[in-house]
Amino acid sequence: MNKAFITGVTGQDGAYLSRFLLEKGYEVHGMQPRCEVDNTERLADILSHPRFFLHAGDLTDGGNVFRLLHEVQPDEIYNLGAQSHVATSFQIPEQTANVDALGVLRLLEAIRTLNLGAKFYQASSSELFGNAPAPQHEKTPFQPCSPYAAAKLYAYWMVRTYRESYGIFAVNGILFNHESPLRGEDFVTRKVTKAVAEIYCGLKTHITLGNLDAVRDWGHARDYVEGMWLMLQQSEPQDYILATGQTHSVRQLVEIAFAEIGREIVWRGMGPDEVGYERKTGDILVKIDPQFYRPNDVHFLCGDATKAYEDLGWTPKTSFRSLIQEMLHSDLAQVERSKHMDHLKEKNERVFRHAA
Ligand code: NAP
Ligand code: F7E
C-alpha cells in the first residue's frame, strides 16, 4: 500500500488531495498545525477513515519535520502547507518566508539526510510570474512581486537544486489559481460567492472589494489535485504548469456571481469611488475599499498547460461558470443552514425566557 504524507492537509487542496488519494487506496498521513479553533472542518467526512491519520506538526519546526518523516516513512510527500494569502504576506513577510521558503528546505533536508527515497511535490505558484507577459509557461522568466511570491521562488529553486544535486525525485507544480466551495473566505472568489449568498438571503446589503481589474486564470481545485498526483507518477521528475488557459477579471467574476441570483450589475465611477449597482433597482451592491488594494498586485495571469496535457494527459474539467455556480450554491446552502440555526436558537431563548 502506498503511503502519502501531506502538509497543509487542513487547507483547501489538502482536503481534496486526501480524498483523492484515499480513493486510490493510499494510506494518508497529514500534518496538522496547532490551532486554537478546530481546523479540521474541511476533513470532517474522512477524519474517521481507517487509512487517514493526522499528526501534530509545523513546517517552521525542523525537528518536528524530521521526526514525522522518520516515523511515517512515506512514499510520496505533498508539500501544500503555506501562509498562502498574498496580501497577508506583505504584513507578515518573515513568517511567510519561514513557512513557505524555509519549510521546503526543512522537508528536502529531511528527505536527503534520512535517505527516504520518497517522491516530493512542491506547491509552486503562478505568483512566481508576477507581471511577466502572458501566456505563462514553464520557460517564462519569473518576476515575483510579493513576499509570498519571493518565498515560493526560493522554494522552487531549492526543489530544483535538490533534484539536480542529490537525484531526489522532487517536482514543482506551478499551479494557477484554483478554487472550490472549500476555498478560504478571504480569497476573492469565495469572498464574492459568500457575499452574494448573504445578499440573496437578506443578511447583507453589499460587498466591499479592492482591485476589480485584476485578471486570473481560475480552475477547480478538484481537477488540480489529480495533476499533482500525476506529476509524481512519471518516470522522471519534471516541473509542470497546471492552468485552464481561460481568463476572467474580478469585475467579471462579480457580474457572473450576481447574475446567478438574477441581479444585473452596472458600473459607475472610477477607482476607489467606483460602485456596482443593480440595473433594475439602482441598489448599490458593490463598493470599493482601498484597504483591499495591495502594495503591488499581479495584473494578468493566464497559464499554458500544454506540457501537462502532452506528458500527463491532464486537462481541467470544470468551466469557470460551473465553478462559480458550485461555490455559490454551496454558500447559499450554508447561509440557509446558519439562518435556520439562528432561528432555532432565538426560538429556544424565547421559550427559556418565557419559562423563567
Ligand atoms: P490553504 O487553504 O491556505 O491551505 C494552507 C495550509 O497550510 C493549511 O492547512 C494551513 O493550516 C497550513 N499551514 C499554514 N502554516 C503552516 C505551518 N507553519 N506549518 C504547517 N502547515 C501550515 O491553501 P490551498 O489553497 O489549499 O493551497 C495549497 C498550497 O498550494 C499552498 O502552498 C499554496 O501556497 C499553494 N498554491 C495555491 C494555489 C491556489 O490557487 N489555491 C495556487 C498555487 C499555489 P491551518 O489553516 O490549519 O493553519
Ligand atoms: O486575489 C484581487 C486581488 O487573494 C485575486 C492564492 O491561492 O492564487 C491565490 O493568490 C485577485 C488579486 O488570490 C479583493 O488584488 C480584489 O489581484 O483571491 P486572491 P491571489 O492573490 O491570486 C495564487 C496562485 C496563489 O498561489 C496564492 O496562494 O483579486 N482582489 N478585491 C481581491 N482579493 C482578495 N483576496 N480580496 C478582495 O477583496
Side-chain angles (χ1 to χ4, degrees):
M1 189 192 300
N2 270 334
K3 230 190 257 183
F5 183 80
I6 305 176
T7 72
V9 74
T10 54
Q12 170 189 256
D13 291 5
Y16 278 98
L17 181 65
S18 298
R19 282 177 189 81
F20 177 86
L21 294 176
L22 286 171
E23 274 166 28
K24 289 233 167 277
Y26 278 66
E27 187 174 297
V28 176
H29 294 257
M31 176 192 270
Q32 180 187 17
R34 206 193 82 78
C35 189
E36 301 210 335
V37 288
D38 181 19
N39 57 0
T40 58
E41 205 186 326
R42 294 180 175 105
L43 303 169
D45 57 319
I46 53 170
L47 280 176
S48 54
H49 193 290
R51 282 185 278 109
F52 184 71
F53 305 91
L54 283 177
H55 306 264
D58 200 298
L59 284 165
T60 61
D61 186 325
N64 169 269
V65 167
F66 269 68
R67 185 177 52 76
L68 284 182
L69 291 185
H70 181 61
E71 272 170 27
V72 174
Q73 294 283 320
D75 304 293
E76 294 174 9
I77 299 168
Y78 296 86
N79 181 36
L80 311 181
Q83 189 304 96
S84 75
H85 200 263
V86 177
T88 303
S89 77
F90 287 96
Q91 283 146 13
I92 49 167
E94 198 175 317
Q95 168 70 1
T96 303
N98 197 358
V99 183
D100 299 13
L102 292 180
V104 182
L105 178 61
R106 293 179 186 109
L107 287 163
L108 290 166
E109 261 301 280
I111 295 172
R112 183 178 77 86
T113 51
L114 293 170
N115 236 330
L116 277 186
K119 293 183 172 181
F120 181 78
Y121 172 87
Q122 164 59 12
S124 277
S125 163
S126 53
E127 283 292 302
L128 296 180
F129 296 118
N131 288 310
Q136 294 93 7
H137 49 79
E138 287 82 358
K139 294 200 165 68
T140 302
F142 300 127
Q143 290 181 28
C145 59
S146 66
Y148 169 81
K152 287 280 184 182
L153 185 62
Y154 173 88
Y156 170 93
W157 281 113
M158 277 300 155
V159 167
R160 294 199 53 164
T161 302
Y162 275 61
R163 177 165 84 211
E164 287 157 18
S165 312
Y166 306 117
I168 291 174
F169 191 114
V171 304
N172 286 292
I174 307 171
L175 271 50
F176 282 62
N177 297 54
H178 46 279
E179 321 290 312
S180 74
L182 300 185
R183 186 56 144 154
E185 291 176 12
D186 52 359
F187 296 92
V188 76
T189 51
R190 183 76 199 288
K191 183 173 166 181
V192 168
T193 58
K194 182 147 192 270
V196 170
E198 287 173 342
I199 291 168
Y200 182 78
C201 295
L203 298 180
K204 218 179 187 162
T205 55
H206 65 275
I207 177 172
T208 312
L209 293 166
N211 178 9
L212 296 175
D213 295 315
V215 173
R216 291 289 183 277
D217 176 333
W218 277 296
H220 198 305
R222 190 177 43 221
D223 298 343
Y224 285 49
V225 299
E226 185 191 10
M228 296 176 188
W229 175 77
L230 284 168
M231 287 178 213
L232 295 197
Q233 311 316 307
Q234 303 310 297
S235 49
E236 292 299 321
Q238 288 192 55
D239 304 327
Y240 290 96
I241 299 261
L242 298 185
T244 69
Q246 305 293 313
T247 55
H248 293 87
S249 62
V250 174
R251 191 185 296 281
Q252 288 170 319
L253 156 72
V254 169
E255 289 165 1
I256 289 172
F258 273 109
E260 280 298 311
I261 58 161
R263 313 246 174 125
E264 187 188 348
I265 299 289
V266 186
W267 302 97
R268 185 177 65 216
M270 296 264 287
D273 298 324
E274 185 167 8
V275 290
Y277 62 94
E278 186 182 6
R279 185 187 288 282
K280 202 155 82 191
T281 60
D283 291 346
I284 291 181
L285 299 179
V286 188
K287 291 185 186 174
I288 303 298
D289 186 336
Q291 74 157 303
F292 297 114
Y293 290 157
R294 298 175 182 181
N296 199 358
D297 208 350
V298 171
H299 303 300
F300 191 97
L301 286 173
C302 176
D304 175 354
T306 307
K307 185 180 172 202
Y309 174 66
E310 287 176 355
D311 290 8
L312 314 176
W314 181 87
T315 44
K317 299 182 180 79
T318 317
S319 70
F320 180 68
R321 195 170 288 272
S322 27
L323 165 69
I324 297 307
Q325 280 169 346
E326 185 184 330
M327 292 175 71
L328 181 59
H329 288 284
S330 160
D331 278 325
L332 281 167
Q334 207 168 304
V335 171
E336 285 296 347
R337 266 197 309 277
S338 58
K339 254 178 92 176
H340 180 66
M341 293 306 286
D342 287 348
H343 175 72
L344 281 182
K345 205 170 137 210
E346 226 172 79
K347 201 166 140 196
N348 283 345
E349 278 168 7
R350 266 206 311 275
V351 170
F352 182 72
R353 272 202 303 275
H354 184 71

